[in-house]
Amino acid sequence: MPTEPLARLWHGAHLLCNAAEARMPSPHRNGPAAPTTMRPVRPVIVHIEVPQPPEEVYDVLDVLAAHEEFTDHMLRQWHYSGPARGVGAAARVTAVVAGRSESIDIEVVAAQRPLGITERNTGAGGRRVATGTYLLNEIPGGGTRIFFTYSWQTAPLSERLTAPLVRWLLRRANQKALRRLAGLLDNSTQ
């Protein structure tokens, strides 16, 4: 992969992460958390290449309601609030993974066309705070490489103890979501 696109990708990731962190409230309600000896859960990263340009991919991802169509295998019962697109767009969904279901709040906390979008996810009764970031990298000769990174800021003990399984399940579900997004993009350009 040429150095310039990779540098732009990392620069875009840096901008989105900084913007997202600046908007995120502290997950610690009563001061800093007690020190822990457990390592945090490593992020899950998946990617796919599509023939559409980054601007077209961004325009689909920017509408939070569009996510329902390519994630309904794991996220159901979407209830929207805030603006339809951009920072502040929000939804409460029911996540269904491995036979478990729970309510999750999703809010777009950073968006920069056509680089990407970061969403903050809160679940497990507030014990899980994570971000989901879509980074869009233009492919030389046309098309877009879409990266999706799910990063935990805080995670319940059960997820930290079973991190390899949780990461495997999430990687599998998110890769399927990206394949479905690619299909949605193909259908929207025909």
Side-chain angles (χ1 to χ4, degrees), residues 30-89:
N30 298 319
T36 179
T37 58
M38 294 193 75
R39 302 181 84 184
V41 180
R42 291 182 319 179
V44 171
I45 303 170
V46 295
H47 71 279
I48 195 165
E49 293 182 3
V50 296
Q52 293 78 13
E55 294 80 8
E56 192 174 319
V57 175
Y58 180 90
D59 290 342
V60 170
L61 289 173
D62 191 37
V63 178
L64 190 58
H67 294 225
E68 184 173 2
E69 191 170 342
F70 63 90
T71 62
D72 65 357
H73 61 286
M74 62 179 172
L75 302 175
R76 301 184 184 140
Q77 299 174 352
W78 288 69
H79 302 282
Y80 304 98
S81 61
R85 63 175 61 233
V87 174

Side-chain angles (χ1 to χ4, degrees), residues 8-190:
R8 286 187 317 172
L9 173 69
W10 289 115
H11 176 71
H14 177 73
L15 290 175
L16 283 170
C17 288
N18 285 346
E21 287 174 10
R23 289 181 175 84
M24 289 181 70
S26 169
H28 312 296
R29 294 193 175 104
N30 298 319
T36 179
T37 58
M38 294 193 75
R39 302 181 84 184
V41 180
R42 291 182 319 179
V44 171
I45 303 170
V46 295
H47 71 279
I48 195 165
E49 293 182 3
V50 296
Q52 293 78 13
E55 294 80 8
E56 192 174 319
V57 175
Y58 180 90
D59 290 342
V60 170
L61 289 173
D62 191 37
V63 178
L64 190 58
H67 294 225
E68 184 173 2
E69 191 170 342
F70 63 90
T71 62
D72 65 357
H73 61 286
M74 62 179 172
L75 302 175
R76 301 184 184 140
Q77 299 174 352
W78 288 69
H79 302 282
Y80 304 98
S81 61
R85 63 175 61 233
V87 174
R92 174 165 282 177
V93 301
T94 300
V96 180
V97 178
R100 292 184 46 214
S101 65
E102 70 170 284
S103 181
I104 296 177
D105 292 319
I106 301 171
E107 180 182 3
V108 176
V109 294
Q112 185 174 359
R113 188 177 196 265
L115 293 176
I117 296 169
T118 298
E119 305 164 345
R120 179 183 56 233
N121 304 280
T122 306
R127 293 175 293 136
R128 179 189 322 102
V129 178
T131 56
T133 301
Y134 293 91
L135 290 176
L136 310 177
N137 187 17
E138 186 172 2
I139 299 171
T144 304
R145 187 172 294 112
I146 306 168
F147 288 89
F148 180 75
T149 303
Y150 188 87
S151 299
W152 285 263
Q153 274 65 58
T154 61
L157 180 61
S158 61
E159 287 179 21
R160 293 190 313 253
L161 291 173
T162 60
L165 175 62
V166 170
R167 291 181 72 251
W168 179 81
L169 289 168
L170 203 53
R171 178 178 292 109
R172 197 171 129 208
N174 285 331
Q175 192 64 60
K176 180 176 182 176
L178 287 187
R179 285 192 307 271
R180 294 181 72 203
L181 171 61
L184 176 67
L185 289 164
D186 282 343
N187 291 337
S188 70
T189 57
Q190 293 177 359

